[in-house]
Amino acid sequence: MSSDVLSVLSYHVAPGGRLSGRHRVPGDKSISHRAVMFAALAEGTSTITGFLDGEDCLCTLRAFEAMGATVARLDRTTLRITGVGIDGLKDPGTVLDVGNSGTSMRLMCGLLAAQRFGSTLTGDASLRRRPMKRVTEPLAQMGATIHTQAGGRAPLQIEPAAQPLNAIRYHSPVASAQVKSSILLAGLYAKGLTEVHEPEASRDHTERMLSAFGVRVEAREGYAAVQGGQRLRAIDIEVPSDISSAAFLMVGAAIAPGSDVTLDAVGLNPTRTGVIHILKAMGARISIANERTIGGEPVGDVRILGSALHGIDIDPRWVASAIDEFPALFIAAACARGETRLSGAAELRVKESDRISAMCNGLRALGIDAVALADGARISGGRLRGGSVESLGDHRIAMSFAVAALRAEQPITIRDCDNVATSFPGFSTLMQAAGLRLRVSTRHP
Ligand code: S3P
C-alpha cells in the first residue's frame, strides 16, 4: 500500500515577535533510525531513550517489527527492542512502505540486499522521485540484484541473495551518509573488508553507533570500512536532540531582534554543525554550554541571541555538515544585510523536494531577490513582505517559511505542512511556546 496522503494542514504565521525561553527539540532523526535498525539486528534487548517519534522513524520501526524485532514502546520516546541477531531477519511477507524517508529506504536497501529472502521497498510520491541508483549500483557491484523503476527510482525490488555478497572498495561520487551507510550495512554480510571513500566527510552516526554495538569499524574523515561477519550486541542508547530541528529555532532567534533562546542537549557531532559555523560567520551570537557526550555523540546546550546578520560566501567545506539546514539558512540570508552566496550544494536538488527551487521560489513570492543556481543560490537580504508559499510537501521548507514570519511585514501562509510530522512532531506547539505567532488550519479533504 502507498503512504501518499492528501495534505490538509496549513500554517498561518502572524508577522513579527521574537523567540525566547529554554526548549528541548525532539530526538535526532538520523540517530533514531540507526538505533532502531541496529537494535533490531543485535543480540539481546536494547533500550532507546529520546527516540524521535516522527513519521520517518516510525516507518523504520514498523519495518523492523515486520521483520521479526520485538518492540515495546514504554512511552512516546522510550523503546525497548529485542533484536533478532545479524542473521535473524525474517521475510516481512509484505511490501515495506517507508513513507517519506530516504534514510530508511537507502539504509534498508543495503541490509535487505544481503538477505536470503526477497523484498520490496516503496515510499510516498516524493521518495519515489528520488535517486536510488546511488545505492543500487554499488550494491550490484557487491553481487546484489535490485530492480528499480525507470531512472533508478523506487519501488525497489530486491532479489534474495543466493550467496554472500562480495566486499568492495567504493569511491562514492557524492558525500552521502545514506550511501556510505547502505554499503557498510551490506558489508556486514560480505566476505572481507568493505570500504567507502567519500569526497567530503558525511555524517558519521553509523560508524559511531555500530562501534557502540560492538562492531569493529575503521573510520576517519572521508573513509569508513567494516569487516563482514561481525555481530551486534544490544546496548542502551540515549538520542540527542536533533540539530536539524534546532536549526529552525536558531535561525528564528538569530533573525528576530530581542530573541534569547536556549536549546538543551543538542547533538553537536562535528559532521553536523555546519549551521552553527555559517550562522556565526553571518554575525549570529551563539554560545554553547554544558558540553558532554551522550550515546557516543557530543551534545551541548545552545544559546542564540537576536543579532544583525550580514551576507557571506558560504565556505563549500561547510556544505556537507549543514546539508539539511540550508532551507533555514536561506531565511537567515534573506534577513541579512547584503548578499549570501552558496555553491557546491547540488545535493539540495534531490532532497524531499528540490530545495533550491522551492526556497528561491518561496522567497521571491515574499519579495526577496533570490536567484537559483545549478548547485546553490544567490540571495540578497531585503524586506520580507509576507504572502503565501508552497512547501511542496517538504517538512523543512514548511518550517523555514514559518520562522521567516518573525521578520515579515505581513502574515505568511504555508500550504502542505503535514510532513512536518516526519521530523519534528510538536513543531507548532513548541514554536508557539517560544513566541512564534503560528496558527494551524485543517482542511478536510
Ligand atoms: C541522512 C543523510 C543525509 C541527510 C538526511 C539524513 C542520514 O542525506 O540529508 O536527512 O540519516 O544518513 P544524504 O546521505 O543523501 O546526504
Side-chain angles (χ1 to χ4, degrees), residues 21-28 49-51 76-77 238-242 245-246 249 261-267 292 294 299-301 424-426 430:
R22 198 164 191 127
H23 306 278
R24 184 166 181 145
V25 302
D28 187 278
T49 49
F51 172 72
R76 268 187 32 262
T77 61
E238 207 181 326
V239 180
S241 289
D242 198 330
S245 298
L249 285 121
V261 167
T262 300
L263 303 169
D264 284 331
V266 177
R292 57 213 187 267
I294 64 171
V299 302
D301 302 338
F424 199 154
L430 193 151

Side-chain angles (χ1 to χ4, degrees), residues 79 106 181-182 195 199 210 222-223 232 235 244 259 304 439-440:
L79 306 178
R106 295 195 178 117
S181 305
S182 183
E195 299 173 271
L210 277 179
Y223 175 83
L232 287 76
I235 55 166
S244 298
S259 293
I304 314 100
R439 185 171 62 77
V440 183

